[in-house]
Amino acid sequence: MTDLCAEDLATIYAKPSPRVIAKARPAIDAHAKKFIEMSPFCVLATSGADGSVDASPRGGSVGFVHVAGPNQLLMPDRSGNNRIDSFRNVVEGSGFVHLLFFVPGIDETLRVGGRGTLSADPDLLASMVEFGKPPRAVLNVAVSEVYFHCGKALMRSKLWSPEKVQRSVMPSIGEVIHDQTGLGEPESQEIVEARYKTQL
């Protein structure tokens, strides 16, 4: 297998249309704002000082990411595994962040890019209580690029299809990690889900 180089790409892919280029906007408009306010889930991508890249799922109630202005988003951070790879990248790496927002039932997605900073201001945390708890920190994104992405990938994947994989086809995350590391207990899916519900 031969790896492609930059020159090869031009022979495989046509140039994007002017409309595709023009749809990248420098700020959050009314359509993007509505989409973010309907979204309960996004993926946060960050880059580290060593060039590594991290992509992390983030979720909450519908509209959990707050549109504070046309060039500002506020994302509360809820309990997780405490690796804080994303946040280390924000404070130690490039500071660039990219968000990919999903709305269940809509095949298009929304991409938002900018620079991130972190805050643990008590008043800000208190304003974002969800699931009975304030966030541990808030990601403040200075937005510089916003655009909608076509729905082809989600259509191909049938992501919103009512046909779902039965959870029982995979071992629980507790069982997987126990098999991989020998650490912790090989907890059943029922035990894992019950614990998750106390840690939202």
Side-chain angles (χ1 to χ4, degrees):
M1 184 170 63
T2 304
D3 293 341
L4 297 175
C5 64
E7 290 76 19
D8 295 325
L9 296 179
T11 68
I12 299 172
Y13 297 97
K15 288 184 178 180
S17 69
R19 185 178 182 185
V20 167
I21 300 300
K23 73 177 182 177
R25 313 307 299 165
I28 299 166
D29 68 2
H31 300 294
K33 183 175 185 288
K34 182 174 182 178
F35 198 90
I36 294 167
E37 290 173 346
M38 292 190 300
S39 175
F41 177 79
C42 68
V43 176
L44 168 65
T46 59
S47 56
D50 60 356
S52 63
V53 177
D54 180 76
S56 175
R58 303 292 166 130
S61 298
V62 169
F64 76 102
V65 176
H66 300 250
V67 180
N71 292 99
Q72 185 183 24
L73 290 180
L74 298 172
M75 175 190 284
D77 183 54
R78 305 297 171 189
S79 64
N81 59 19
N82 292 324
R83 283 182 55 117
I84 57 174
D85 297 314
S86 300
F87 285 175
R88 287 192 194 283
N89 287 347
V90 168
V91 299
E92 297 174 358
S94 70
F96 288 113
V97 302
H98 213 91
L99 296 159
L100 182 61
F101 287 93
F102 295 77
V103 174
I106 296 179
D107 287 328
E108 289 74 25
T109 53
L110 180 71
R111 296 170 64 155
V112 179
R115 279 189 172 272
T117 55
L118 295 176
S119 175
D121 177 78
D123 291 337
L124 181 59
L125 301 184
S127 73
M128 293 186 159
V129 171
E130 189 178 8
F131 309 111
K133 305 171 191 172
R136 298 175 300 174
V138 174
L139 175 63
N140 180 15
V141 181
V143 173
S144 58
E145 183 180 54
V146 182
Y147 62 97
F148 282 94
H149 204 289
C150 78
K152 292 176 187 174
L154 271 68
M155 291 173 72
R156 291 181 187 121
S157 69
K158 300 179 182 176
L159 187 63
W160 307 133
S161 168
E163 300 172 7
K164 296 181 180 178
V165 173
Q166 295 300 309
R167 183 63 185 83
S168 59
V169 304
M170 277 288 291
S172 74
I173 188 68
E175 292 164 337
V176 169
I177 294 174
H178 181 267
D179 287 348
Q180 292 173 336
T181 67
L183 301 174
E185 297 297 324
E187 298 171 318
S188 69
Q189 186 64 23
E190 292 74 21
I191 292 174
V192 170
E193 289 182 4
R195 186 177 69 254
Y196 281 169
K197 289 176 182 176
T198 68
Q199 298 173 346
L200 294 176

